């Protein structure tokens, strides 16, 4: 199948146009919520496992970041981020094809953020498409590797953001603390009020002191049929950020 037949271009949030690989992982709620979880005023940010580049693009267009670097090990996706940045006129986004375990840019970042692979290599059904398998399974580094990269890249006091699976939250928090990333804010996300949490958002501070804010749950839909967004979700769609009571003052 040609590259042209494997791609589509969608209009997404914030008037962005996004080229996506149809047989790869596409833009979803996890990316939108992670971008919304970040505060404003960061100068330099780094995305670990950039995919299509959408999270970095959202942070830039929302004025949360001045400059962003997307680090992606799969060359096809690193190139895709370059194309998406060019398509949307985002000269402030740089795409780097590199392994996050080896990446050493020689500069420090204020913000590091990631939507990392969340399944162990021996869990779940491996996808036959290698790009999906690498995005979902820890074949190119586990959560400890991502935390180690964040520790290495962040300035002291810098922020680390991650979206992850609730059933692996312990692994994430242990990895963070081991790499001197102190968890400061946790939010569980539910599709509706009758559903278990499907994802968790965590903010940590490099070298931060002990003190965790556990926010109220974030609910996406008002009903079981998922036909109507909650006021909280509408707020993110309209404002690009979580409602104020979800945010810790920086």
């Amino acid at each position: 199948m040609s590259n042209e037949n494997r791609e589509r271009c969608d209009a997404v949030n914030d008037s962005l146009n996004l080229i996506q690989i149809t047989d790869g992982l596409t833009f979803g709620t996890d990316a939108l919520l992670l971008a919304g979880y970040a505060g404003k005023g960061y100068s330099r940010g780094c995305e670990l496992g950039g995919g299509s580049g959408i999270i970095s693009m959202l942070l830039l267009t929302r004025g949360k970041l001045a400059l962003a670097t997307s680090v992606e090990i799969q060359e096809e996706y690193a190139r895709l981020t370059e194309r998406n940045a060019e398509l949307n006129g985002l000269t402030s986004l740089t795409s780097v094809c590199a392994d996050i375990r080896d990446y050493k840019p020689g500069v420090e970042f204020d913000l590091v953020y990631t939507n990392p692979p969340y399944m162990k290599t021996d869990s779940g059904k491996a996808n036959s498409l290698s790009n999906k398998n690498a995005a979902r399974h820890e074949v190119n580094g586990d959560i400890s590797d991502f935390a180690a990269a964040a520790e290495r890249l962040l300035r002291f006091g810098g922020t680390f953001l991650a979206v992850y699976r609730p059933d692996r939250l312990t692994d994430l928090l242990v990895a963070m603390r081991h790499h001197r990333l102190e968890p400061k804010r946790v939010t569980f996300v539910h599709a509706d009020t009758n559903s278990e949490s499907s994802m968790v958002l965590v903010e940590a501070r490099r070298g931060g002191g002990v003190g965790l804010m556990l926010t109220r749950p974030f609910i996406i839909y008002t009903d079981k049929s998922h036909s109507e967004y909650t006021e909280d979700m509408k707020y993110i769609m309209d404002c690009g950020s979580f409602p104020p009571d979800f945010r810790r003052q920086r």
Side-chain angles (χ1 to χ4, degrees):
M1 185 181 293
S2 69
N3 285 340
E4 182 179 352
N5 292 331
R6 294 177 58 232
E7 294 180 354
R8 71 171 192 255
C9 187
D10 299 316
V12 296
N13 301 70
D14 297 22
S15 300
L16 290 168
N17 292 302
L18 184 67
I19 304 168
Q20 304 193 80
I21 299 173
T22 55
D23 58 7
L25 292 182
T26 53
F27 176 49
T29 306
D30 49 359
L32 180 65
L33 293 182
L34 182 60
Y37 209 56
K40 293 186 177 181
Y42 294 101
S43 298
R44 188 189 300 269
C46 181
E47 182 172 6
L48 303 178
S52 67
I54 183 58
I55 300 174
S56 294
M57 292 164 63
L58 288 169
L59 291 174
L60 290 169
T61 57
R62 293 170 178 178
K64 297 186 175 188
L65 267 178
L67 297 170
T69 300
S70 172
V71 183
E72 171 58 53
I73 194 170
Q74 298 187 73
E75 185 176 357
E76 181 178 34
Y77 279 96
R79 174 57 184 151
L80 184 64
T81 295
E82 290 181 352
R83 294 168 59 202
N84 278 322
E86 182 178 357
L87 177 65
N88 291 277
L90 291 173
T91 58
S92 51
L93 174 55
T94 301
S95 179
V96 176
C97 185
D99 190 323
I100 59 103
R101 295 169 291 187
D102 303 323
Y103 180 59
K104 296 177 182 179
V107 297
E108 290 185 323
F109 295 91
D110 305 299
L111 175 68
V112 172
Y113 46 101
T114 186
N115 180 6
Y118 51 82
M119 298 179 71
K120 291 182 175 291
T121 54
D122 60 353
S123 69
K125 183 179 180 181
N127 196 287
S128 59
L129 298 172
S130 60
N131 55 5
K132 275 192 177 183
N133 192 48
R136 289 175 172 162
H137 291 78
E138 296 174 328
V139 297
N140 294 310
D142 60 19
I143 192 58
S144 182
D145 292 316
F146 277 76
E151 178 190 17
R152 184 175 67 251
L153 296 172
L154 278 171
R155 64 169 176 79
F156 187 85
T159 300
F160 179 50
L161 296 177
V163 57
Y164 212 51
R165 281 195 359 179
D167 62 333
R168 296 204 59 200
L169 177 59
T170 301
D171 293 335
L172 174 60
L173 296 180
V174 168
M176 284 179 168
R177 178 164 277 183
H178 178 74
H179 291 287
R180 297 185 296 176
L181 304 167
E182 186 62 28
K184 305 300 292 184
R185 182 168 55 124
V186 173
T187 300
F188 289 96
V189 178
H190 302 252
D192 55 66
T193 56
N194 293 303
S195 299
E196 292 184 5
S197 175
S198 57
M199 68 183 82
V200 61
L201 295 154
V202 182
E203 176 186 77
R205 194 85 66 239
R206 182 176 182 269
V210 175
L212 177 68
M213 173 187 180
L214 181 61
T215 75
R216 61 183 173 88
F218 184 88
I219 313 298
I220 299 175
Y221 296 101
T222 63
D223 56 340
K224 290 183 180 180
S225 62
H226 298 174
S227 60
E228 176 71 22
Y229 282 140
T230 62
E231 291 302 313
D232 285 339
M233 189 65 184
K234 290 177 182 177
Y235 188 96
I236 288 182
M237 300 293 285
D238 292 340
C239 303
S241 292
F242 273 64
D245 63 309
F246 282 92
R247 301 195 294 272
R248 180 189 290 271
Q249 295 297 319
R250 291 179 60 197

